[in-house]
Amino acid sequence: MKSNRAIYLLINILCFYVLPLCITNTSLAMVIMIFVIPGIIAITSFLYGYKSGKIDYIYSILTALLFIPVIVIYMNMTAWIYVIIYFVIVVCFNSLGKYIRKNKEEK
């Protein structure tokens, strides 16, 4: 099954640029930044790793880089740590998806 990186990146872009528009207070901002966005990128990364059957570091780097303009547009510079956190999440769940697919194919 062929996987299209652009579709998964588009979902992440929508997540990064649309969800911050919903932020009305600090509590909601923390929920979105700590739970919602990481949850969505974890799911898309897992699915991408599962469907592609590979660990794609370019996908991981692009996802992290696509978040940088969000910091400038919607947030302040203290949000830079999320670039690293989101990169780690993408690599971990992309690897998990690949691993599960590999184990499923071996059985």
Side-chain angles (χ1 to χ4, degrees):
M1 185 181 295
K2 188 172 180 181
S3 181
N4 189 354
R5 179 189 306 155
I7 293 170
Y8 297 96
L9 286 172
L10 181 62
I11 294 169
N12 290 341
I13 289 169
L14 289 172
C15 171
F16 290 157
Y17 290 89
V18 174
L19 287 177
L21 295 173
C22 301
I23 295 174
T24 57
N25 59 45
T26 305
S27 299
L28 185 57
M30 291 297 103
V31 169
I32 288 174
M33 296 296 296
I34 295 173
F35 298 109
V36 178
I37 291 176
I40 292 170
I41 63 171
I43 291 167
T44 58
S45 300
F46 174 82
L47 292 174
Y48 180 69
Y50 185 81
K51 291 185 178 186
S52 69
K54 64 179 182 177
I55 301 171
D56 189 351
Y57 290 106
I58 294 173
Y59 171 76
S60 304
I61 291 168
L62 286 174
T63 299
L65 290 176
L66 287 168
F67 184 71
I68 292 173
V70 174
I71 296 169
V72 176
I73 295 168
Y74 296 113
M75 299 167 194
N76 58 37
M77 294 305 144
T78 60
W80 277 98
I81 189 68
Y82 290 106
V83 174
I84 297 166
I85 293 169
Y86 294 167
F87 174 78
V88 171
I89 289 170
V90 171
V91 170
C92 290
F93 279 88
N94 186 247
S95 302
L96 181 64
K98 177 199 176 262
Y99 176 76
I100 290 174
R101 178 180 174 155
K102 180 182 170 189
N103 283 345
K104 183 179 176 185
E105 289 174 352
E106 289 177 357
K107 289 182 181 182

